Amino acid sequence: AQSVTQPDIHITVSEGASLELRCNYSYGATPYLFWYVQSPGQGLQLLLKYFSGDTLVQGIKGFEAEFKRSQSSFNLRKPSVHWSDAAEYFCAVGGYGGSQGNLLFGKGTNLSVKP
Amino acid sequence: DTEVTQTPKHLVMGMTNKKSLKCEQHMGHRAMYWYKQKAKKPPELMFVYSYEKLSINESVPSRFSPECPNSSLLNLHLHALQPEDSALYLCASSQGGLAGRYEQFFGPGTRLTVL
């Protein structure tokens, strides 16, 4: 069965430090992969996506993610975190299930940023 | 215009009330989605409309009734809700049909409280 795992429920980093949020997936074919960010009480904003091609993808707000097929991972990174990056981050796989219209979300990682 | 709008932003209703949530997009997207999100959880898919036809109903109770009057508009009619239905209701849209490779654009959500 398809699954998306975000192993870290909560992460705290200092402002200016680097960040890596982990995401592992289980999917039978080449997945469509997404990272979304959600600020408290807000909707989800797409940070970046991977469909095919270059395995290092650049997104908005200085985020990037690397697709590693051998490790079934799609980890999100940022070299220097800003206080405004504190939010909930969701990794998602698109196209799962018979309908192919669904997004399968991980449980999310809550990011706190220390001053 | 690259946004999905949702009204109202907040809604408080009693268990005997009838109310509606509204979602609108003007990006020419042909798939629209309703999600329910409880605190500290990922969004759960409720309904998907593709080309104005209901394509997915994720076994949602009949007290939730979706409607897609046209390609830009999506409503969620609420009747006889229970307190456990209190949540953030998110609308999303994506271009094309149900292909999972299309990124979904999310609205800011309606915060629903059922008393």
Side-chain angles (χ1 to χ4, degrees):
Chain A
Q2 295 94 343
S3 66
V4 179
T5 303
Q6 294 180 246
D8 305 304
I9 296 173
H10 186 89
I11 283 182
T12 300
V13 299
S14 297
E15 191 167 16
S18 63
L19 171 70
E20 182 169 34
L21 302 182
R22 296 183 289 164
C23 174
N24 294 96
Y25 66 89
S26 172
Y27 194 75
T30 299
Y32 304 122
L33 294 163
F34 305 85
W35 273 101
Y36 284 89
V37 61
Q38 185 177 32
S39 297
Q42 301 297 313
L44 278 71
Q45 182 181 25
L46 180 72
L47 287 175
L48 46 78
K49 60 192 179 191
Y50 173 78
F51 295 158
S52 64
D54 193 347
T55 56
L56 184 63
V57 293
Q58 302 296 321
I60 62 170
K61 304 186 180 191
F63 285 92
E64 67 177 27
E66 186 170 13
F67 172 63
K68 292 186 177 179
R69 184 187 302 276
S70 61
Q71 298 177 21
S72 297
S73 69
F74 188 56
N75 294 348
L76 183 71
R77 300 194 295 247
K78 186 170 185 178
S80 178
V81 168
H82 188 262
W83 63 266
S84 60
D85 293 323
E88 191 80 20
Y89 291 79
F90 292 101
C91 180
V93 171
Y96 89 99
S99 64
Q100 298 201 332
N102 294 359
L103 276 178
L104 179 60
F105 286 95
K107 292 188 186 297
T109 297
N110 183 265
L111 174 67
S112 296
V113 180
K114 288 190 302 187
Chain B
D1 186 359
T2 59
E3 68 172 342
V4 176
T5 59
Q6 289 187 244
T7 53
K9 197 172 176 63
H10 300 276
L11 179 61
V12 179
M13 59 187 290
M15 289 191 284
T16 58
N17 292 157
K18 284 185 182 181
K19 297 285 184 184
S20 296
L21 310 184
K22 180 179 170 182
C23 172
E24 201 161 3
Q25 58 88 13
H26 295 287
M27 295 178 278
H29 289 174
R30 303 313 302 267
M32 295 186 76
Y33 310 75
W34 279 116
Y35 288 87
K36 174 183 177 181
Q37 187 180 27
K38 301 285 268 186
K40 299 190 185 301
K41 299 287 187 186
E44 299 172 21
L45 184 66
M46 300 174 72
F47 303 103
V48 182
Y49 274 83
S50 178
Y51 293 90
E52 298 156 54
K53 287 187 168 40
L54 183 63
S55 301
I56 298 173
N57 177 340
E58 292 286 354
S59 303
V60 179
S62 59
R63 57 186 184 268
F64 295 91
S65 174
E67 179 196 19
C68 188
N70 58 58
S71 60
S72 301
L73 202 52
L74 185 67
N75 297 321
L76 186 63
H77 302 297
L78 314 172
H79 174 54
L81 294 193
Q82 303 297 309
E84 60 264 28
D85 296 322
S86 299
L88 182 68
Y89 287 83
L90 294 165
C91 174
S93 70
S94 64
Q95 70 178 89
L98 294 179
R101 63 187 176 91
Y102 295 121
E103 65 194 75
Q104 292 184 23
F105 291 78
F106 284 81
T110 293
R111 173 72 60 191
L112 174 67
T113 302
V114 182
L115 301 176

